[in-house]
Amino acid sequence: MYRARFRDPAGSIRDGEYDPATDTVAFGGDEYALSDPDIDVLAPTDPSKIVCIGRNYADHAEELGNDVPDRPLLFLKPPNAVASHGDTVTVPAGKDRIDWEAEFAVVIGEQCKSVDAADAMDVVAGFTCMNDVSNREDQNKEQNWVRGKAFDGAAPLGPVLATPDEVPADASVELRVNGETKQSSDREHMIFDVPTLIEEITTYLTLEPGDVIATGTPEGVGALADGDTVEVEIEGVGTLEHDVRVP
């Protein structure tokens, strides 16, 4: 099953069942085409926090000249970082390099703490696509990565939420910039899988319904330019698309 959040023509925020065959979402007996210009597609969740994983693909660690971690590397993105499918993300001005990072994102379905890996999928509502837009200049200058990772719009999410049964265990993860493939991998290449990440994170943090775990990016990161169109496609989920503005 697929879910989509959207703003209807009256301005109300709705959450309905999405049909990928017709690109429509049903709510309250009505059906809306997401291509309708009077409909605003919203990020499929409104998280209290996004817990991100660094260097969770060995090839990405290698391309940045970093060691593979022996435990998940955790950092946070706040709610202001969320952007939606179809948005134009305005990145910080005057920076040497702002990168794309395709990510397989996990959406939490219930409040949870101290979850064993064996039970982790019980707390998962579904999966979606994310671009971990990264300000490398400031990321390389600080340890907490607030300037590097937490700026407004730094976490485009979407377009929909797919329940776990819709997404293959080896689902492909691909990113394209202006139609050209830049990243191509699959979730089986993660160093730490989803249950392991949930167990580790909930050892320290309470996760709330709607919270997101961004599971890391594969190799192929690169610099964004003004006017770029970015697509993140995950098999079984769909394609998140957004534009980029560099002031």
Side-chain angles (χ1 to χ4, degrees), residues 193-247:
D193 63 13
V194 170
T196 300
L197 294 175
I198 291 173
E199 180 178 81
E200 177 69 13
I201 291 165
T202 61
T203 299
Y204 299 92
L205 305 179
T206 298
L207 293 174
E208 303 292 345
D211 281 354
V212 172
I213 300 172
T215 59
T217 196
E219 72 170 331
V221 300
L224 292 163
D226 186 44
D228 279 348
T229 296
V230 180
E231 297 170 280
V232 178
E233 182 174 2
I234 293 177
E235 183 181 2
V237 177
T239 303
L240 164 70
E241 181 178 321
H242 70 86
D243 293 332
V244 176
R245 176 177 175 265
V246 180

Side-chain angles (χ1 to χ4, degrees), residues 59-171:
D59 52 11
H60 175 56
E62 182 179 354
E63 75 175 339
L64 295 183
N66 295 318
D67 294 332
V68 173
D70 58 5
R71 67 174 185 171
L73 300 179
L74 309 182
F75 63 93
L76 296 173
K77 283 181 180 260
N80 65 282
V82 174
S84 300
H85 176 72
D87 280 357
T88 295
V89 174
T90 300
V91 302
K95 301 302 177 183
D96 290 340
R97 179 168 164 170
I98 307 288
D99 277 12
W100 62 74
E101 291 193 4
E103 308 230 356
F104 182 90
V106 181
V107 179
I108 298 299
E110 62 185 70
Q111 187 183 70
C112 55
K113 180 73 163 62
S114 301
V115 179
D116 187 89
D119 303 318
M121 294 307 297
D122 294 342
V123 304
V124 173
F127 304 126
T128 192
C129 308
M130 187 176 124
N131 185 11
D132 176 14
V133 185
S134 300
N135 165 14
R136 295 291 190 222
E137 179 178 327
D138 286 313
Q139 182 185 357
N140 292 334
K141 293 178 180 177
E142 60 188 7
Q143 292 184 329
N144 56 24
W145 295 357
V146 172
R147 296 175 184 84
K149 295 282 194 175
F151 54 88
D152 290 350
L157 286 165
V160 299
L161 177 72
T163 51
D165 59 292
E166 300 283 358
V167 184
D170 61 349

Side-chain angles (χ1 to χ4, degrees), residues 21-40:
T22 59
D23 194 32
T24 58
V25 60
F27 176 83
D30 294 318
E31 192 172 87
Y32 302 87
L34 293 190
S35 59
D36 186 332
D38 293 328
I39 299 296
D40 293 324

